[in-house]
Amino acid sequence: MIAIQAEDVDIGKLITGAKKQGTGAIVVFDGIVRDDDIREMELEAYGEVAVPELEKIASEAKATYNLLSVDIIHRIGRLAIGENILVIVVSAEHRTEAYEGSRFIIEAIKAGVPIWKKELRRDGDRWVPGEHRHGSGQKS
């Protein structure tokens, strides 16, 4: 499953679905809203571009790291401290491929998928500077 959605994620269901024949390892990345002196976080995405980018990243990870399954769900909307932001579940025959594939996916998302975070802070709101160049006015 590749999705951008407001609803929370059933991580247990994703883990069950990742148990394909030959699976020897499943790696779960669960990025959550941490308490960095914020009240909430607001996430926005350019879905028409972001979903195809996530699909491309998943395909590349599967091919490069011999992954048996890849799920990427990124949430949007207002999220409270402790809520899931991004869930990545990958399965592979061996742990090395699963760990490396998961790491590749998160780094690729941070570098190139048009998703933005705004911290709703006690002392005022601020957009979180991203690692990608979308919307920065700079050329990639």
Side-chain angles (χ1 to χ4, degrees), residues 21-95:
Q21 184 172 357
T23 296
I26 294 175
V27 170
V28 176
F29 173 86
D30 182 10
I32 62 171
V33 179
R34 67 180 171 268
D35 186 2
D36 280 349
D37 198 32
I38 66 170
R39 296 177 287 117
E40 293 176 298
M41 183 171 283
E42 189 171 311
L43 292 106
E44 295 181 8
Y46 183 23
E48 295 168 359
V49 174
V51 171
E53 284 295 316
L54 293 175
E55 290 170 345
K56 180 178 160 188
I57 291 166
S59 293
E60 187 174 347
K62 275 185 170 180
T64 303
Y65 299 98
N66 300 313
L67 301 177
L68 300 172
S69 84
V70 173
D71 295 298
I72 306 169
I73 297 94
H74 205 301
R75 297 197 47 215
I76 55 172
R78 280 200 175 193
L79 304 178
I81 294 167
E83 286 194 72
N84 302 317
I85 301 171
L86 170 63
V87 176
I88 300 168
V89 177
V90 301
S91 66
E93 289 184 12
H94 303 283
R95 70 180 178 272

Side-chain angles (χ1 to χ4, degrees), residues 87-118:
V87 176
I88 300 168
V89 177
V90 301
S91 66
E93 289 184 12
H94 303 283
R95 70 180 178 272
T96 301
E97 290 87 356
Y99 276 118
E100 290 176 357
S102 179
R103 177 66 184 246
F104 168 83
I105 291 167
I106 186 62
E107 298 302 333
I109 290 169
K110 297 293 249 174
V113 179
I115 298 172
W116 302 276
K117 296 189 286 188
K118 183 179 189 180

